[in-house]
Amino acid sequence: VIEGFLSGQEASVFAICDGRDFITLAPAQDHKRVGDGDTGKNTGGMGAYAPAPVVTADVLSTIRTRIIRPVLDGMFEEGMPFIGCLFCGLMIDGDSVNVVEFNARFGDPETQAVLSVLDADVAALFASAARGELDATTVRSVHAGYACNVVLASKGYPDAYEKGLPITGIDAAEADPTVTVYHAGTAEKNGELVTNGGRVLGVTAIGDSLAEAVKRSYAACNTISFATKMHRTDIAAKAL
Ligand code: GLY
């Protein structure tokens, strides 16, 4: 078996598909390694941002015409039209684009960033795709500003970690109206919010610039506490 090593930067592009037609959402970049500078073990994703400038207009055009369009046409011709979210996991190196993986779902944590910058009637968009009649007029903009999502994880993740530790500060973080804290590995114990997973919370902020979104997201992270809290400090740094 001979394999090619793919160098470059990974990016994720989600296409909402109705079997024939599709719309691409803002390109995002996940951070798979647990440590800053893409070091340490692979995780489910330690943070993401959108739009990711590594996916230039030309690269997105290539992704649409050379990857998504042939997949949809091929599946339609084989009698299995694809209706749903096509997740294209890509390696981008300049103008060169390679597919690393496809998933028939949204990605985590990219979705928290991608949907935060999607100005659309999302329910109408998804319903129209499900009916096989994708309605692009439901979308005003797929990149209304910038979004950054920083994952607050439990120390030890992706290996063993402690659970059941009290979490505080979410209300204070969300006092900033640009911030939304998504729950991933949390639970309620005796009326108290506690950690219940490796990736605990996804702290997402939006802004008019990526730098602003990143700053707000990290400020919100700093207001949230739990004993084993850890996070990467360089989400989106490659794009800044
Ligand atoms: N963020 C990668 C995935 O959802 O598979």
Side-chain angles (χ1 to χ4, degrees), residues 30 32 44 87 101 103 105-110:
D30 189 5
K32 302 292 291 181
F87 172 143
E101 61 174 346
N103 293 303
R105 59 168 172 81
F106 280 98
D108 176 17
E110 295 97 314

Side-chain angles (χ1 to χ4, degrees), residues 14-27:
F14 303 151
I16 306 300
C17 309
D18 74 356
R20 295 298 296 265
D21 207 0
F22 66 94
I23 184 167
T24 46
L25 304 185

Side-chain angles (χ1 to χ4, degrees), residues 10 36 48 51 54 111 117 124 138 183-184 186 231:
E10 280 193 62
D36 283 353
V54 68
T111 304
V117 295
T138 56
H183 291 238
T186 64
H231 61 78

